[in-house]
Amino acid sequence: MGKNMKLVTNPLNLNNPILVQILGICSALAVTVKLEPAIVMAVSVTLVVAFANVIISLLRNTIPSRIRIIVQLVVIAALVIVVDQILKAYSYTVSKQLSVFVGLIITNCILMGRLEAFALGNKPWQSFLDGVGNGGGYSLILIIVAFVRELLGSGTLTLPSVGEIQIIPQSFYDAGYQNNGLVILPPAALIIVGVIIWVQRSYTRELIDEKE
Amino acid sequence: MQDLINIFVKSIFIDNMIFAYFLGMCSYLAVSKTVKTATGLGIAVIFVLIITVPVNWLLENYILKKGALEWLLGGKALDIDLSFLSFIMYIAVIASMVQLVEMIVEKYAPALYSQLGIFLPLIAVNCAILGAALFMQEREYETIGEATVFALGSGVGWFLAIVGIAAIREKMKYSDVPAPLRGIGITFITTGIMAIAFMSFMGIKL
């Protein structure tokens, strides 16, 4: 059990897909202007990575290794189509906000990375846990970045099914406080992730790169 | 003609794949340690983009789009909308095209092939390629010429970005970066600052 537990907890910090494995950056940064799309994206990616891991793990002994990339892509693409259709049906506005990034889950490196590195050599249950853990690690960073960006950039937090909540009180604005427009723009996301890496590595020193 | 130049310049600078949309970040961060490898990957990406985007454009406009099957089935095809299949079709086209390009390059230009090495197969999972196909679909380019020019521009933009960061990282080896930021952390922040510089193109109306 301890070992299985590690599969879920390790990717949250020590082996975080974004901060340490540097996988899945593309979509992570583009959907984090508001909290709501970030949460939806996080849930979608977690579901897709967990189930893709299970499916590939079940098929792992029957896939010829030469065509495995195509097989993996087809499995992922099929799952992503399901997610995309569900989003379009149940939360159309979020699906519009995410635009092409739902489709880009297919080429999200977390998926290919976990399938190649884990699901091809492990049993379905472990693969499922690994998928949940990595999805969780990805979600964690996505939500932190989105939280910072929305709070500083718009002074609000948007939660699914609750809607927009004003966090910075009106009196602050009356006193001359202004939203930071730069945080909304794409470059800020990169800098925030850079800073998160900085904080994380200051605490977990074994992750620090050797001087080249 | 002017339209084409507009699309070209816009896709290089204003809608830069890396700085505006963060597409292809994984390989951008992983393969930017030296200028030489970065150049190789950049050329490979341009190459694959200008092949896959027009092919996907044909697919989109003659098979997938609502009513696109009219040329085959006549009037009754107007209600057929296959666009929900576009992800799977695009990725299949990209994966097979990458394979095909790899074989052609190996046969006819062995020198280029050995230069590109492992980067060619890796491109199949580069988000910039699928991203370009999806943007092509979303922005509804009207002719195959526009789609090709858009692909070329996006590729050149990606190439400039990766060569730029590789050059900076080569120089950064000699600077004293705080230990926890060393490596990937400072690369993120540098990319952010480069992206801010690229944003100055944003106000340009073409």
Side-chain angles (χ1 to χ4, degrees):
Chain A
M1 189 59 212
K3 214 176 162 197
N4 282 353
M5 213 43 216
K6 260 219 160 98
L7 289 175
V8 181
T9 53
N10 237 5
L12 293 183
N13 181 21
L14 279 183
N15 201 16
N16 189 290
I18 293 187
L19 303 184
V20 181
Q21 304 175 50
I22 319 293
L23 296 175
I25 317 284
C26 328
S27 55
L29 302 179
V31 298
T32 49
V33 176
K34 296 241 174 235
L35 201 51
E36 187 185 14
I39 293 174
V40 173
M41 187 73 182
V43 173
S44 319
V45 168
T46 310
L47 285 178
V48 173
V49 75
F51 286 104
N53 257 358
V54 172
I55 294 172
I56 291 294
S57 170
L58 287 170
L59 295 173
R60 71 185 186 282
N61 295 324
T62 53
I63 303 173
S65 72
R66 287 170 73 192
I67 58 156
R68 67 178 193 285
I69 296 201
I70 298 259
V71 175
Q72 289 164 355
L73 283 175
V74 169
V75 169
I76 297 169
L79 287 169
V80 170
I81 290 177
V82 173
V83 168
D84 184 48
Q85 298 289 321
I86 292 176
L87 279 182
K88 275 198 181 126
Y90 291 102
S91 68
Y92 190 73
T93 45
V94 176
S95 141
K96 270 275 159 242
Q97 273 174 349
L98 291 172
S99 78
V100 298
F101 290 97
V102 177
L104 288 174
I105 298 177
I106 299 174
T107 46
N108 191 319
C109 331
I110 291 182
L111 286 151
M112 288 296 280
R114 290 332 289 170
L115 293 181
E116 282 279 302
F118 199 89
L120 277 176
N122 287 284
K123 295 208 177 79
W125 177 237
Q126 273 88 354
S127 304
F128 179 75
L129 291 177
D130 181 77
V132 171
N134 278 285
Y138 173 85
S139 311
L140 189 69
I141 304 303
L142 217 61
I143 289 169
I144 295 176
V145 175
F147 180 82
V148 174
R149 285 182 80 184
E150 192 177 355
L151 189 62
L152 296 182
S154 328
T156 56
L157 291 176
T158 318
L159 294 171
S161 80
V162 179
E164 208 173 75
I165 308 166
Q166 186 72 32
I167 299 289
I168 311 269
Q170 188 58 42
S171 53
F172 274 47
Y173 290 101
D174 296 338
Y177 175 83
Q178 281 198 339
N179 288 326
N180 186 344
L182 186 65
V183 184
I184 307 254
L185 300 171
L190 287 162
I191 295 175
I192 293 171
V193 174
V195 172
I196 294 176
I197 290 179
W198 191 358
V199 172
Q200 187 215 20
R201 295 197 178 179
S202 315
Y203 282 102
T204 27
R205 301 207 70 95
E206 64 262 37
L207 291 175
I208 291 175
D209 289 12
E210 292 297 316
K211 185 106 178 154
E212 282 157 29
Chain B
M1 189 61 207
Q2 208 183 351
D3 282 356
L4 294 185
I5 296 172
N6 279 354
I7 292 177
F8 184 65
V9 175
K10 199 163 176 278
S11 54
I12 294 183
F13 293 109
I14 303 165
D15 290 336
N16 188 290
M17 277 285 172
I18 293 219
F19 296 132
Y21 297 105
F22 309 118
L23 294 177
M25 271 318 245
C26 311
S27 31
Y28 168 85
L29 292 168
V31 195
S32 59
K33 282 207 174 105
T34 61
V35 173
K36 200 162 162 254
T37 51
T39 317
L41 184 67
I43 291 171
V45 166
I46 298 180
F47 201 59
V48 173
L49 268 176
I50 54 179
I51 293 173
T52 56
V53 173
V55 172
N56 280 330
W57 185 88
L58 290 174
L59 206 61
E60 162 78 11
N61 282 278
Y62 290 102
I63 297 180
L64 297 174
K65 215 156 92 175
K66 189 167 189 257
L69 280 170
E70 202 187 350
W71 61 276
L72 188 66
L73 303 172
K76 64 183 171 189
L78 287 175
D79 300 329
I80 302 179
D81 184 0
L82 293 176
S83 54
F84 67 92
L85 280 177
S86 51
F87 297 158
I88 215 162
M89 295 294 272
Y90 288 170
I91 199 73
V93 164
I94 289 167
S96 48
M97 275 298 153
V98 168
Q99 198 82 60
L100 203 66
V101 167
E102 195 184 349
M103 290 194 290
I104 293 170
V105 173
E106 189 180 9
K107 178 116 173 61
Y108 294 103
L112 181 67
Y113 180 76
S114 58
Q115 246 174 30
L116 294 180
I118 54 153
F119 298 134
L120 264 179
L122 273 185
I123 288 175
V125 286
N126 186 325
C127 342
I129 313 283
L130 184 63
L134 292 174
F135 279 129
M136 175 271 295
Q137 181 191 34
E138 197 180 79
R139 293 176 192 164
E140 295 173 348
Y141 289 115
E142 270 161 28
T143 63
I144 193 164
E146 287 183 6
T148 316
V149 168
F150 162 71
L152 179 64
S154 307
V156 171
W158 202 87
F159 174 84
L160 286 178
I162 193 168
V163 172
I165 190 78
I168 293 177
R169 281 182 82 170
E170 275 192 1
K171 291 285 171 213
M172 213 142 56
K173 273 186 207 152
Y174 306 108
S175 354
D176 191 16
V177 179
L181 262 183
R182 221 177 277 149
I184 207 68
I186 194 73
T187 311
F188 267 103
I189 293 179
T190 316
T191 311
I193 294 170
M194 284 169 81
I196 293 177
F198 255 73
M199 286 184 56
S200 56
F201 291 111
M202 234 177 195
I204 299 174
K205 277 266 183 319
L206 287 170

